[in-house]
Amino acid sequence: MSATISPERRAEAPSISANVRGYAERVRGGDMGALPAVFGLVVLCTVFALLRPSFLTAGNFANLLTQGAAVTVIAMGLVFVLLLGEIDLSAGFASGVCASILAILLTNQGLPWYVAVAAAILAGVVIGATLGSIVTKLGIPSFVVTLAAFLAFQGLVLLLIKGGTIIAIRDETILAVANKNLPPALGWALLAAGVVAYAGLQLLRARKRIGRGLTSDPISLIAVRVGALALLGGVAVYFLNVERSRNAAVVSLAGMPIVVPVILVLLLIWTFVLRRTAFGRHLYAVGGNAEAARRAGINVDRMKISAFVICSSMAAVGGIIAASRASSVDPNTGGSNVLLYAVGAAVIGGTSLFGGKGRVLDAILGGTVVAVIENGMGLMGYSSGVKFMVTGSVLLLAAGVDALSRKRAAATGLR
């Protein structure tokens, strides 16, 4: 016999207007979330579209997604470390080390792609475990440890690929990750599956909350969310399915880049880990107050080591994507502005440098902002110097918004 909930226990679902008012109150209280990143992204896209109409072409849209893919993936891993109030300055060259291992095993040793990928990711796990253990067991600040690793890994890349040697990657599977597209029909199928799955999860969550006598989002709000996802996803898939080749008879460039669903799968996995598992709840607890978390029985050292392992493992995946896009590995792989852009992407997207606040989605939003700046200013003919200055200014602005938001939240009692 099924249990029933009395009218007294059943909570009334708030209306859409009530949800909007609640969100506005949270924003006024300092909980900005990803709002600054979304607003900045809209402004940047509008400005570049007006100044350079070619910015909105299907070809440039696809290029934008692949251009920022490696940095975005590395930033996704950095979110886990930043949630703890730590930093990993070695993530860029860690991706270079893992990409070098991949290239050596593929090209020099002739091993299958799956063996090389597994070895590269395993190298990331070892790197993360080593860095995390040094930080937790020896008590050395993560800034110092990872700065030392930054220098050491830069030298290790040179040793692995023997100085200035460029190792070409010829494996078709690896090259396809950042250079090939899905069939257009498959892109629509993935979108439909994603929208249906999202709608199902939202309805299931609402049903569970109602069954427990808790407030839940109204069906109308769920419908708006699902509709927005379907609309935005539909527009993106439509543009990506436009033929971008000048001679489609020779080679077709229609379809969603393969790297896009790869990033979306990583987003789903890590979002589930952070929001639906005890590990994720413990990570936020440690980032919010490590001493209180320790007294609550959470193994703080284990959480920190795990965060560094995830960060370096994602750096390895980012290195694989970067090697795929460049079709080679060289001494600069993972160097130059990769680390700066990755940290900037996480912070610009809304992840706090002070710990305790952030989502994996923030890395994607911030990575998109960085890619839009790089791409749009490139189309306008600006030099690298100007790009660096603008990106640095956006990063400083994002960090400033984060600091002010925390002060506002503390003053209003939200933290």
Side-chain angles (χ1 to χ4, degrees), residues 32 46 61 71 83 90 95 157 190 221 241 254 257 262 297 299 378 411-412:
M32 301 289 287
T46 302
F61 181 44
V71 167
L83 280 174
S90 69
S95 72
V157 170
L190 289 176
L221 179 59
N241 282 346
V262 170
N299 191 324
T412 56

Side-chain angles (χ1 to χ4, degrees), residues 377 382-391:
M377 299 196 75
Y382 285 105
S383 65
S384 297
V386 176
K387 295 178 187 177
F388 288 147
M389 292 177 65
V390 172
T391 306

Side-chain angles (χ1 to χ4, degrees), residues 43-411:
V43 171
L44 288 170
C45 289
T46 302
V47 170
F48 288 136
L50 293 175
L51 296 178
R52 283 292 183 274
S54 59
F55 177 81
L56 290 181
T57 60
N60 190 60
F61 181 44
N63 181 60
L64 185 68
L65 296 177
T66 56
Q67 181 179 348
V71 167
T72 298
V73 170
I74 296 173
M76 292 167 74
L78 281 166
V79 167
F80 286 82
V81 175
L82 292 174
L83 280 174
L84 298 177
E86 305 287 351
I87 189 67
D88 186 355
L89 299 178
S90 69
F93 273 115
S95 72
V97 170
C98 297
S100 299
I101 292 174
L102 173 84
I104 291 171
L105 295 180
L106 282 177
T107 303
N108 296 354
Q109 304 298 324
L111 295 178
W113 68 267
Y114 48 85
V115 175
V117 168
I121 295 177
L122 179 60
V125 171
V126 173
I127 289 172
T130 302
L131 295 177
S133 297
I134 294 174
V135 170
T136 57
K137 303 306 180 183
L138 298 184
I140 305 176
S142 59
F143 179 89
V144 177
V145 173
T146 57
L147 178 60
F150 170 87
L151 298 172
F153 293 159
Q154 187 173 3
L156 183 56
V157 170
L158 293 174
L159 293 175
L160 287 172
I161 63 175
K162 295 179 172 54
T165 303
I166 297 177
I167 303 179
I169 294 178
R170 302 182 182 88
D171 186 271
E172 293 297 329
T173 302
I174 298 299
L175 292 176
V177 173
N179 296 290
K180 297 293 183 181
N181 306 310
L182 297 175
L186 183 55
W188 287 115
L190 289 176
L191 173 63
V195 171
V196 171
Y198 178 75
L201 290 173
Q202 289 288 307
L203 292 173
L204 180 62
R205 179 173 179 268
R207 182 178 179 182
K208 286 183 176 180
R209 290 184 63 85
I210 292 174
R212 296 170 182 169
L214 303 173
T215 59
S216 66
D217 294 331
I219 297 298
S220 55
L221 179 59
I222 294 176
V224 169
R225 290 173 179 167
V226 174
L229 176 63
L231 177 61
L232 294 177
V235 171
V237 173
Y238 172 79
F239 270 102
L240 292 174
N241 282 346
V242 171
E243 182 57 67
R244 304 185 292 274
S245 174
R246 295 184 178 181
N247 191 347
V250 177
V251 58
S252 175
L253 294 179
M256 180 189 301
I258 293 175
V259 73
V260 173
V262 170
I263 291 178
L264 292 179
V265 168
L266 292 173
L267 171 65
L268 292 174
I269 292 173
W270 293 124
T271 298
F272 175 81
V273 169
L274 283 181
R275 298 185 60 180
R276 302 296 180 187
T277 67
F279 174 83
R281 292 189 291 272
H282 291 173
L283 199 69
Y284 281 110
V286 173
N289 190 323
E291 184 56 33
R294 182 178 287 107
R295 292 181 179 181
I298 298 174
N299 191 324
V300 175
D301 287 354
R302 182 180 299 172
M303 297 304 299
K304 289 187 176 183
I305 294 174
S306 299
F308 276 98
V309 167
I310 293 173
C311 181
S312 295
S313 299
M314 291 297 288
V317 177
I320 293 171
I321 294 174
S324 172
R325 187 168 190 268
S327 303
S328 64
V329 171
D330 59 58
N332 199 43
T333 301
S336 185
N337 54 11
V338 172
L339 171 69
L340 303 180
Y341 278 180
V343 174
V347 176
I348 290 171
T351 300
S352 176
L353 286 168
F354 303 99
K357 188 184 78 172
R359 303 171 301 168
V360 179
L361 180 61
D362 295 341
I364 294 182
L365 291 174
T368 304
V369 171
V370 171
V372 165
I373 294 174
E374 178 82 6
N375 180 276
M377 299 196 75
L379 290 176
M380 295 178 65
Y382 285 105
S383 65
S384 297
V386 176
K387 295 178 187 177
F388 288 147
M389 292 177 65
V390 172
T391 306
S393 300
V394 172
L395 173 59
L396 181 61
L397 179 62
V401 169
D402 177 37
L404 293 176
S405 297
R406 290 177 66 86
K407 289 184 179 179
R408 178 64 177 172

